[in-house]
Amino acid sequence: MFRWLFFNESALTPAEHAAWKLSALRIILMSGFVLEAAVAIHSSLDAIAVGAYQVLWVVGFFYVVLALGLYYSSRHLRAGAAILIGTVYASAFAIVCLINHYEIAKFGYIFIYTTPIIARLFFGTRLALGLMAFNVLPFLLLLLNRPLLNIPGFDITLPASNTYIQSLLFLFFNACVPLAVFRVLHELDVSALRYRQASAALEVSHAQYEEVFQNAGTALLLTDASGQILQANQLANSLLGREADDDDDRALFGWLSLDNSVRMKSPNAEESENMRMSAYRTRDGKLVALENISQTSTDHYIVALRDVSGLHSIHHALQLSLQREDYLSRHDALTNLPNRDMLRSHLQAVLANSDETKVTALVSFRLNSIRHANQQFGAHTGDILLRRFAEELSHALPKNCFCARLRSIVFSFVVENSRTPGEIIKLVEKVRNNLPKELEINGENLLIQFSAGIALVRPEDQEADDLIRRSEVALDTARRSSDQSVTLFDEEDALQIRRSVEIEVGIVNGLKQNEFRLVYQPKVDREGKIAGLEALLRWESPSLGSVAPAEFIPIAERAGLIRLISNYVMTQVCFQVRDWLNRFADCPVIALNLSATDIARNDLLQLIENCCNRYDVAASYIEFEITETGLIANEALTIHHLDELKARGFNIAIDDFGTGYSSLSKLSHFPAQSVKIDRSFVAQIGYNKKSEMIIKAIISLANILSCHTVAEGVENEAQESFLKEIGCDYFQGYYYYRPLEVSALELLLTEMPAKEAQASYQFKLA
């Protein structure tokens, strides 16, 4: 409480601290040097007058010492202060010991009473206390009225000594010391002012701190190292459920329970850091996390609290959602069975731990009757049938079988640790027999028909996909069989499927690499003159070799690639027509075969129009053919497209007539100008009377429909004679011309009159 009595040197900067000390020291030295000069001069003159020259030595000595003090004060403050203290003691003892008049000499003791003050100012409290204790000795001598020491033969007593001593005391205590004290008091005033300003700023800062602390938007605590709460803002108290003035229970973990703590991922952590934080239960059940702990300079801790009750609920819900997502990513949503990915993982584990002494197999079932259910009762009933079949299959399987939904209507299960393949086949047959033959769904009894394929694990198997592929090959073979028996994997089936996949991929690449080309086979009239051309598509693949249209066209149709081929052929046809028109000023009429897929294309008319416009080809140069099967596949759209093509000037022909299943009434509605007799009937001329009768019927029907007839595959004179006899109009086959390259065909056409070259160009996918 008495701290205000002491001058706080630490309140000053080091530069200010050194400045006031140097200033005070110089004030004492300089004032003593200047103010006492009059006394020194007068006493020196008086001493010369009475012949006391020793006084001159004493005065000179003290002025030299004061000059040394001034000199060292600027270089070494403490050295200058030590010289000052020494000068004061020397002056006092010179007066006491060298003046022979004791009553006057006693005044010399008064000088030494200032040394503790000077020592405190320049050296510190310890030296000041030491000098205070030392000064007791001369004080006792003064009380006892005993002189300190007399030096015989060295007397500086002058007649005016009393005046000199009193003048020195007056100047020292009334000028030198007060001036130095004034300098110290000035610094004290500055320090006090600065202290008041700092206190005021501190009060403002404290108020601002309180505002920030209370309104930080975060629950904050100030604790000591042992976790005792020193201060808490309103949010923290509310979160902990404590009163602001509750000083009885200050332990932080008295309000937070360590027993019910949980670990949570920090919401502020980066994904890669995966940092976690601890959360604790409060007395009222809230979940509170110590979000941040910062140590202060005074070994206290600022603790930021956060209510993570909602976050914990979200984390828990998210965890359940992730588990559900993981479950859905590995299970089929319709049947809740493991999906293909999970089956692959399971098979990979089985292959990694396979026992060569045991037989393991992957069995696949294909629900064939689902198509009937979808068509008759709708997709919803089909989904129910799939779900019910999955349940029945799961119940029929042994407990150790892993069952999954491989794809839409295919289910697979793994049979492990059997002794022989025959044992696996018996198990599959048992499962087949245990499955119901019918299932009642929505009051309807639906037949259960399925195929089964088995793929045995081989010792060299390492990839699950290979086993799945073999199982599906066996399943596809079983599906194509008439009795739907259980089928083991066969390498020939695998090779056929692999060939199909290679062709499917090769078609796309072949179109990009210009591996396809068109060759032309002429057709002739009854006089043997060329009346048209049939274009045949050829494919020479660098990897697959020569691939016949009969092989790659069905694959293209199944894979949905026939559109690309049709686009390619249409473009090539128009290009060839334009090329011949530019070079020869004339060109045969060209016909293209439209597949069932092509005739149902919504953009068919636009495609044909764009190609013709691009190459400036008139409709009269092109004829389109469509098979009977294509005619009835989408009857309404087919009639619409053919009517539009005929209206625009294109010729229409029915290809492979007699091999389809269309009725005469339907055929009468199609706007065809030509009918082509299939080569399978022509080949039987002379051998099969029924085929000959069918050909006659086709020609008669064509005449009724006002159509020309074209016989395909004519290879000998007997066939030609028969066809001419019954009235066939045009002929085509090896008997006349083989398929020709463009260069050979151009040479053939240039050797004939232009009028004989009127022809139709047909793109035939066979």
Side-chain angles (χ1 to χ4, degrees):
M1 62 181 292
F2 299 104
R3 188 174 298 175
W4 63 274
L5 292 173
F6 299 94
F7 179 53
N8 186 8
E9 296 178 4
S10 62
L12 304 175
T13 64
E16 292 173 332
H17 186 63
W20 76 259
K21 284 189 175 184
L22 177 61
S23 177
L25 177 61
R26 286 188 169 185
I27 287 174
I28 296 175
L29 291 173
M30 184 59 70
S31 61
F33 194 88
V34 174
L35 295 177
E36 296 174 7
V39 175
I41 294 172
H42 193 277
S43 63
S44 296
L45 294 175
D46 195 10
I48 293 173
V50 297
Y53 295 104
Q54 62 270 24
V55 173
L56 299 177
W57 289 103
V58 171
V59 172
F61 169 76
F62 281 108
Y63 265 88
V64 170
V65 172
L66 288 176
L68 287 174
L70 282 171
Y71 174 78
Y72 279 106
S73 65
S74 61
R75 289 166 175 79
H76 197 287
L77 181 66
R78 288 199 170 194
I83 291 174
L84 175 61
I85 294 174
T87 302
V88 172
Y89 272 108
S91 300
F93 287 114
I95 293 172
V96 172
C97 297
L98 300 181
I99 293 179
N100 218 357
H101 195 293
Y102 183 64
E103 292 299 326
I104 298 174
K106 289 191 295 184
F107 287 106
Y109 288 119
I110 298 175
F111 286 100
I112 65 175
Y113 296 153
T114 62
T115 57
I117 297 175
I118 297 172
R120 173 61 187 86
L121 290 177
F122 300 108
F123 291 97
T125 305
R126 289 184 180 180
L127 181 59
L129 293 175
L131 293 180
M132 289 171 64
F134 177 77
N135 290 343
V136 173
L137 180 61
F139 174 70
L140 292 176
L141 293 175
L142 186 62
L143 289 178
L144 295 175
N145 202 23
R146 293 178 57 182
L148 177 62
L149 180 67
N150 289 321
I151 300 176
F154 201 90
D155 186 9
I156 61 171
T157 306
L158 294 173
S161 293
N162 184 53
T163 302
Y164 297 146
I165 298 301
Q166 295 298 330
S167 298
L168 289 174
L169 288 173
F170 171 76
L171 293 173
F172 186 70
F173 285 100
N174 193 62
C176 296
V177 172
L179 288 175
V181 171
F182 292 163
R183 181 68 179 88
V184 173
L185 290 178
H186 172 72
E187 289 300 327
L188 183 61
D189 290 339
V190 171
S191 176
L193 176 62
R194 186 174 298 167
Y195 177 79
R196 287 193 300 271
Q197 292 174 343
S199 298
L202 185 62
E203 289 178 1
V204 173
S205 176
H206 179 72
Q208 293 173 345
Y209 159 77
E210 282 293 329
E211 288 291 328
V212 173
F213 186 74
Q214 292 294 339
N215 302 286
T218 302
L220 296 177
L221 297 173
L222 181 65
T223 70
D224 59 16
S226 62
Q228 297 294 312
I229 300 174
L230 303 179
Q231 192 174 359
N233 65 7
Q234 186 176 355
L235 286 176
N237 288 328
S238 175
L239 191 58
L240 295 176
R242 67 188 291 268
E243 297 295 334
D245 55 353
D246 189 353
D247 296 331
D248 296 332
D249 191 358
R250 287 184 170 271
L252 174 59
F253 286 98
W255 296 94
L256 299 176
S257 174
L258 294 174
D259 297 334
N260 297 322
S261 63
V262 297
R263 297 283 289 169
M264 298 175 58
K265 185 174 180 181
S266 173
N268 297 324
E270 296 292 337
E271 190 68 25
S272 59
E273 295 177 357
N274 197 26
M275 295 181 62
R276 293 187 171 273
M277 61 181 180
S278 296
Y280 309 92
R281 292 286 180 185
T282 63
R283 295 178 182 179
D284 56 359
K286 290 193 290 288
L287 200 60
V288 175
L290 307 184
E291 189 173 39
N292 186 57
I293 301 176
S294 303
Q295 187 175 5
T296 68
S297 59
T298 56
D299 290 334
H300 291 160
Y301 296 87
I302 299 174
V303 182
L305 304 180
R306 180 174 180 174
D307 186 354
V308 294
S309 303
L311 181 62
H312 180 257
S313 299
I314 293 174
H315 276 200
H316 181 66
L318 179 60
Q319 187 65 29
L320 293 178
S321 176
L322 291 175
Q323 293 175 358
R324 177 63 177 169
E325 181 180 355
D326 180 68
Y327 178 86
L328 292 177
S329 68
R330 299 170 62 84
H331 288 77
D332 174 56
L334 180 63
T335 63
N336 286 327
L337 289 176
N339 59 13
R340 188 187 188 98
D341 290 338
M342 193 170 181
L343 173 63
R344 185 186 294 111
S345 300
H346 179 77
L347 288 176
Q348 207 65 48
V350 169
L351 294 177
N353 301 282
S354 61
D355 184 358
E356 295 185 3
T357 63
K358 300 292 185 180
V359 179
T360 301
L362 177 64
V363 183
S364 296
F365 280 11
R366 183 182 190 276
L367 185 58
N368 300 322
S369 55
I370 189 67
R371 182 177 180 182
H372 172 73
N374 286 334
Q375 290 179 345
Q376 188 169 358
F377 302 105
H380 177 68
T381 300
D383 290 343
I384 297 176
L385 178 60
L386 283 170
R387 190 161 51 244
R388 290 284 304 279
F389 179 77
E391 294 172 356
E392 295 293 340
L393 179 60
S394 299
H395 293 154
L397 292 175
K399 297 297 182 182
N400 61 340
C401 281
F402 182 91
C403 183
R405 186 183 182 189
L406 184 61
R407 48 188 173 86
S408 59
I409 59 174
V410 178
F411 300 84
S412 299
F413 59 91
V414 183
V415 181
E416 301 182 55
N417 301 323
S418 296
R419 289 174 293 182
T420 63
E423 186 176 322
I424 292 177
I425 294 176
K426 289 181 180 179
L427 172 63
V428 174
E429 290 291 352
K430 181 180 178 181
V431 172
R432 282 168 55 90
N433 294 331
N434 289 339
L435 288 172
K437 302 298 184 291
E438 292 182 348
L439 285 175
E440 183 180 349
I441 298 177
N442 297 332
E444 298 289 342
N445 290 327
L446 301 181
L447 291 176
I448 301 299
Q449 296 176 337
F450 54 89
S451 308
I454 303 174
L456 301 179
V457 174
R458 300 169 177 173
E460 66 273 14
D461 282 343
Q462 294 183 349
E463 296 295 332
D465 287 334
D466 292 338
L467 186 61
I468 293 174
R469 179 187 57 80
R470 296 203 305 272
S471 173
E472 291 196 273
V473 169
L475 183 62
D476 190 60
T477 304
R479 181 179 61 84
R480 291 198 301 266
S481 65
S482 58
D483 56 356
Q484 293 188 342
S485 59
V486 178
T487 303
L488 278 169
F489 170 78
D490 183 79
E491 287 291 350
E492 292 184 2
D493 294 332
L495 291 175
Q496 182 180 352
I497 291 177
R498 187 179 298 112
R499 172 76 172 176
S500 297
V501 173
E502 291 174 350
I503 289 176
E504 182 178 331
V505 176
I507 289 173
V508 178
N509 293 331
L511 290 171
K512 294 179 180 178
Q513 301 299 326
N514 295 322
E515 296 173 7
F516 289 89
R517 74 182 194 282
L518 293 176
V519 295
Y520 304 91
Q521 186 178 26
K523 65 179 179 180
V524 300
D525 59 15
R526 296 176 63 87
E527 297 178 359
K529 298 177 182 179
I530 294 179
L533 300 174
E534 178 180 3
L536 303 175
L537 187 61
R538 295 292 184 260
W539 180 21
E540 289 292 335
S541 171
S543 58
L544 301 175
S546 179
V547 186
E551 183 179 11
F552 71 78
I553 290 301
I555 294 174
E557 289 179 336
R558 289 197 300 269
L561 301 176
I562 196 66
R563 296 167 63 93
L564 299 179
I565 294 178
S566 299
N567 293 350
Y568 168 80
V569 172
M570 184 70 197
T571 301
Q572 291 299 312
V573 166
C574 291
F575 169 79
Q576 191 63 68
V577 171
R578 173 44 51 194
D579 182 59
W580 283 339
L581 288 173
N582 291 340
R583 293 167 58 193
F584 307 115
D586 199 2
C587 178
V589 177
I590 301 180
L592 296 95
N593 184 285
L594 296 177
S595 68
T597 302
D598 291 327
I599 201 65
R601 290 175 60 170
N602 292 326
D603 63 340
L604 175 64
L605 299 177
Q606 188 64 43
L607 169 67
I608 295 172
E609 182 177 355
N610 290 342
C611 285
C612 290
N613 291 339
R614 178 181 177 184
Y615 293 100
D616 192 19
V617 174
S620 58
Y621 289 105
I622 296 178
E623 181 180 63
F624 292 102
E625 291 185 0
I626 184 170
T627 62
E628 278 188 88
T629 305
L631 290 173
I632 63 175
N634 193 334
E635 185 176 344
L637 187 58
T638 298
I639 294 175
H640 170 70
H641 282 165
L642 294 182
D643 285 338
E644 284 290 331
L645 291 174
K646 184 178 180 181
R648 297 182 186 188
F650 296 100
N651 295 316
I652 308 297
I654 300 176
D655 194 17
D656 299 336
F657 193 83
T659 60
Y661 302 94
S662 58
S663 64
L664 295 177
S665 61
K666 289 184 178 180
L667 288 175
S668 64
H669 292 90
F670 293 107
Q673 290 99 348
S674 299
V675 173
K676 299 191 72 175
I677 303 171
D678 188 68
R679 65 180 65 248
S680 62
F681 298 119
V682 175
Q684 297 296 319
I685 294 175
Y687 303 99
N688 190 320
K689 295 297 183 182
K690 290 184 178 180
S691 295
E692 293 176 356
M693 293 177 63
I694 292 175
I695 294 174
K696 292 179 181 180
I698 292 174
I699 293 175
S700 298
L701 179 60
N703 291 331
I704 295 173
L705 297 176
S706 300
C707 295
H708 300 293
T709 53
V710 182
E712 294 183 298
V714 180
E715 297 184 356
N716 54 58
E717 185 178 356
Q719 293 173 349
E720 181 190 43
S721 299
F722 175 80
L723 292 169
K724 285 183 177 180
E725 183 180 346
I726 62 175
C728 185
D729 300 312
Y730 300 99
F731 312 92
Q732 182 180 349
Y734 283 7
Y735 181 67
Y736 307 102
Y737 297 100
R738 287 180 173 272
L740 302 174
E741 298 290 342
V742 172
S743 58
L745 180 60
E746 289 177 349
L747 182 61
L748 176 63
L749 293 177
T750 54
E751 294 175 352
M752 300 174 59
K755 291 185 178 180
E756 296 182 10
Q758 295 297 325
S760 65
Y761 178 158
Q762 173 189 10
F763 160 54
K764 183 174 178 63
L765 301 181

